[in-house]
Amino acid sequence: MQSKKTVVLLVLVFILASFASAFAGEHRDARPQKKGILLVGFGSSVPQAQVSFENIDKKVKEAFPEIPVRWAYTSAIIRHKMAKEGKQMDSVEVALAKMMDEGFTHVAVQSLHTIRGEEYHDLRRNAHAFSDMAGGFQRILVGYPLLAKHEDLVRVSEAMISHIPPERKKYEAVVFMGHGTPHPANAFYEAMMYEFQLKDPNIFVGTVEGYPDIEDIKVMLLSKGIKKTYLIPFMSVAGDHARNDMAGDEPDSWKSILTKAGITSVPILKGTAEYDDIVGIWIDHLKGVMSHF
Ligand code: CO
């Protein structure tokens, strides 16, 4: 009996001690709360593509006028290319180290990627590593990319359909060019195509580096007897892929492949982040993160 009481007492002491240490943990960090936002894109070295980033930057600052906004690019190739041109862009790790040094306590990292692919998962891993550092952030959270929930797919489909040039006839196709990836999240592009086709059966989503590719899309267009299509980037920026792989004059561009198959194409060189209603979805994901601080 005596031993049972001792056990109960020990358990109580343990519970109280852990409460006390939890409070002590809170008090140990007496710094005033300093919130910050880190926007993370893949990056683009194409000067015309910067409009996308400028638009996101402007909209985020409008939504959070009191909070400092920083930027980082996940692509090392793009960062190195820009550095050679004298433009210094931080990696996520460098940007976070700087924010840590500046005494930020709460950081919202917003992914500006389209899907939850490799880049997004790497970003989460490294951002969370910062929460374990002594003297680091009290809280660091990563916001979802553009497509996360079903609701996002619905919103994106409605927004992008509203941006299709009004002169396009219903019997003409619209082909969106996604980036694509060997990562399992590539399935988001197929889900996106389904969401578009519920509203308009002549809308397709292809990818540069995943499935379906332009050969698959070409077969789909031919089987429907389509003669003309609009080509629209399904990437935040109209950068190198949009300008060369989609709309370029090289024989392996989407435009050339379709022309050879007897399908005329009209390329639109505008990234998804140039549209305010699309940027609004990223911002809603960021608001979701900020609501935890
Ligand atoms: Co690429």
Side-chain angles (χ1 to χ4, degrees):
M1 274 320 236
Q2 194 59 35
S3 69
K4 210 170 187 180
K5 257 187 196 163
T6 315
V7 169
V8 171
L9 200 68
L10 274 174
V11 167
L12 267 175
V13 166
F14 179 75
I15 291 171
L16 284 171
S18 39
F19 266 119
S21 73
F23 283 119
E26 287 274 312
H27 289 159
R28 213 185 305 140
D29 197 340
R31 294 177 295 173
Q33 197 185 65
K34 186 174 174 184
K35 294 182 201 172
I37 291 170
L38 177 65
L39 299 175
V40 180
F42 179 78
S44 176
S45 58
V46 177
Q48 300 98 306
Q50 301 308 321
V51 288
S52 287
F53 298 125
E54 283 158 18
N55 192 37
I56 296 174
D57 189 68
K58 186 171 139 254
K59 292 282 175 300
V60 169
K61 285 172 180 164
E62 275 168 18
F64 303 97
E66 252 100 77
I67 308 210
V69 176
R70 303 288 154 82
W71 275 86
Y73 284 174
T74 49
S75 167
I77 297 171
I78 285 171
R79 277 186 279 111
H80 296 158
K81 209 170 153 189
M82 289 180 84
K84 277 189 198 140
E85 294 158 12
K87 280 169 255 161
Q88 206 63 48
M89 277 305 296
D90 287 337
S91 65
V92 174
E93 297 71 32
V94 168
L96 287 175
K98 285 180 181 171
M99 291 179 90
M100 193 169 142
D101 199 41
E102 286 175 69
F104 282 92
T105 58
H106 292 69
V107 175
V109 179
Q110 180 56 48
S111 153
L112 301 173
H113 301 102
T114 299
I115 59 161
R116 306 166 72 152
E118 207 182 313
E119 299 264 328
Y120 175 74
H121 286 281
D122 288 350
L123 171 64
R124 280 183 77 97
R125 217 166 74 209
N126 286 4
H128 290 156
F130 271 81
S131 66
D132 283 338
M133 288 184 206
F137 308 121
Q138 278 175 27
R139 206 116 198 245
I140 176 164
L141 292 170
V142 180
Y144 287 134
L146 184 66
L147 303 176
K149 307 176 283 318
H150 167 68
E151 181 203 325
D152 301 326
L153 277 75
V154 174
R155 282 177 74 185
V156 168
S157 65
E158 284 167 356
M160 291 313 291
I161 285 173
S162 77
H163 301 308
I164 293 170
E167 59 273 22
R168 174 243 169 180
K169 312 276 188 300
K170 282 282 169 199
Y171 57 81
E172 294 166 347
V174 173
V175 177
F176 285 103
M177 178 201 247
H179 193 277
T181 170
H183 189 277
N186 186 77
F188 269 96
Y189 294 107
E190 293 167 79
M192 202 59 237
M193 175 145 66
Y194 171 77
E195 203 52 55
F196 275 125
Q197 292 195 347
L198 287 178
K199 300 175 179 80
D200 184 330
N202 284 338
I203 300 182
F204 302 82
V205 180
T207 68
V208 190
E209 291 171 24
Y211 175 83
D213 64 18
I214 188 58
E215 290 300 329
D216 302 313
I217 296 290
K218 185 179 85 182
V219 171
M220 293 177 206
L221 297 179
L222 291 174
S223 76
K224 285 188 137 189
I226 282 164
K227 297 269 183 290
K228 183 178 171 183
T229 182
Y230 287 79
L231 297 176
I232 304 179
F234 194 68
M235 300 182 203
S236 60
V237 302
D240 189 45
H241 287 306
R243 283 160 212 280
N244 298 315
D245 300 324
M246 189 184 86
D249 292 323
E250 295 290 304
D252 58 350
S253 78
W254 288 25
K255 190 182 79 179
S256 301
I257 289 168
L258 294 179
T259 305
K260 217 175 149 198
I263 303 165
T264 319
S265 45
V266 184
I268 311 285
L269 291 176
K270 227 174 150 179
T272 55
E274 290 180 59
Y275 302 110
D276 292 350
D277 41 13
I278 297 286
V279 173
I281 300 170
W282 273 298
I283 290 180
D284 283 347
H285 293 171
L286 176 57
K287 282 180 180 163
V289 168
M290 294 299 283
S291 71
H292 293 283
F293 296 165

